[in-house]
Amino acid sequence: PNINMSEAPPSYETAINYPTRSVSLSSGSLTRPRMSEVKLFNDSSERRRHEELCDLYTIIKATESLEAAYSRDAVSATAYAESCTRLIQQFKSTESALITGGMITSAEVFMREFDVDCPRAYDRLLRAGVPATVMHVSHDDRGENVVVAETVQYFITTMDALKLDQRAVDEVQPLISDLMSSLTRVQGLASDFEGLVKLRLWLQKLNELRASDTIDDEEARQLIFDLEGAYSAFHRFLSTGGTKK
């Protein structure tokens, strides 16, 4: 259009009264993009898989929190041992079900793939397999004679079970765990006592196996040999005044 530069610009009152073009913003003139529904699973089997994986994750995180609380002395040894034992049992059954169902190859691979950074839980669930109170020397208020007698009985029971050809991990591991737990409560027993060192190694080895696995005859023979050596060392400890009568 031709612009006459000689004309003065319109006044403010004139400009604000210029007719304007109205724009209708009715709901019909605007359309929202259609959002597709995001499904976590397509059927009941996938839903069950997600739930079981969530259970495994929850157990690992709960164990990590429990271990941290115990290291800060925020939970008693008794309460810790009870909770930790329950979590270990839940972990083993959940991991076994997931492996059997082909959902994971192992809990270790699961933690690595999903970046589950829980070092305390990894050590307790995948390496030790027993509460920290079992692995380390602790105190027992029941009296020395009671603890010593109980420990001797655990030694005999464990060796007899192996000599009677018990080989399943879910049969042998609890026996070693009970023996270890009793042995660590004997007053005056050093943490580097020969029997404790060997039993820790056996517990770690058994914990790496599945409950349905079995140890072979050669392993059983070595375990009996180590138990007999630990039993003899324990008797020497007692005969040299290891406990106060």
Side-chain angles (χ1 to χ4, degrees):
N2 296 327
I3 300 176
N4 190 349
M5 299 298 293
S6 63
E7 294 181 0
S11 64
Y12 173 75
E13 289 77 6
T14 303
I16 63 175
N17 289 320
Y18 279 163
T20 58
R21 185 178 178 181
S22 61
V23 179
S24 175
L25 298 178
S26 62
S27 59
S29 64
L30 297 176
T31 58
R32 296 180 179 179
R34 207 180 235 319
M35 303 294 291
S36 60
E37 182 181 358
V38 178
K39 295 183 178 181
L40 294 177
F41 36 78
N42 296 318
D43 51 39
S44 59
S45 63
E46 285 191 11
R47 177 175 182 173
R48 185 171 61 254
R49 176 180 182 273
H50 279 82
E51 289 176 347
E52 290 178 350
L53 288 174
C54 287
D55 289 342
L56 181 62
Y57 178 82
T58 302
I59 292 169
I60 293 172
K61 296 295 288 187
T63 304
E64 181 75 10
S65 298
L66 179 63
E67 292 293 319
Y70 182 63
S71 66
R72 295 194 302 268
D73 203 23
V75 60
S76 68
T78 302
Y80 162 79
E82 292 176 355
S83 298
C84 190
T85 300
R86 183 169 59 254
L87 284 169
I88 290 171
Q89 292 172 346
Q90 292 172 343
F91 171 79
K92 287 182 178 296
S93 62
T94 302
E95 182 191 29
S96 178
L98 289 171
I99 292 175
T100 302
M103 300 178 190
I104 62 172
T105 56
S106 70
E108 183 175 3
V109 173
F110 168 82
M111 293 180 70
R112 184 167 61 248
E113 288 183 351
F114 290 91
D115 196 23
V116 183
D117 186 19
C118 297
R120 292 185 177 91
Y122 178 88
D123 183 70
R124 185 62 50 216
L125 298 173
L126 297 175
R127 295 189 60 195
V130 291
T133 49
V134 174
M135 300 294 286
H136 305 289
V137 175
S138 58
H139 179 69
D140 194 310
D141 295 326
R142 294 178 301 166
E144 297 174 20
N145 291 334
V146 174
V147 176
V148 169
E150 185 180 76
T151 303
V152 170
Q153 185 59 49
Y154 280 128
F155 263 117
I156 295 173
T157 301
T158 305
M159 289 188 289
D160 285 348
L162 290 166
K163 291 175 181 178
L164 291 173
D165 295 331
Q166 287 193 14
R167 300 288 185 268
V169 170
D170 59 355
E171 293 175 337
V172 177
Q173 195 269 357
L175 295 174
I176 301 296
S177 178
D178 289 341
L179 172 57
M180 183 79 175
S181 178
S182 183
L183 199 57
T184 56
R185 293 197 297 268
V186 176
Q187 184 176 343
L189 200 67
S191 59
D192 60 350
F193 173 70
E194 175 187 349
L196 288 176
V197 173
K198 290 185 177 181
L199 287 176
R200 287 192 190 102
L201 294 175
W202 274 108
L203 276 176
Q204 291 178 3
K205 180 174 183 177
L206 292 170
N207 194 53
E208 293 172 355
L209 303 174
R210 298 174 60 183
S212 58
D213 290 338
T214 58
I215 59 175
D216 57 33
D217 290 340
E218 184 177 349
E219 290 172 321
R221 183 175 181 179
Q222 182 62 49
L223 178 53
I224 293 172
F225 178 79
D226 289 341
L227 285 169
E228 290 176 343
Y231 189 45
S232 297
F234 184 60
H235 269 285
R236 289 195 299 272
F237 166 78
L238 297 177
S239 63
T240 55
T243 59
K244 299 177 182 178
K245 302 298 182 183

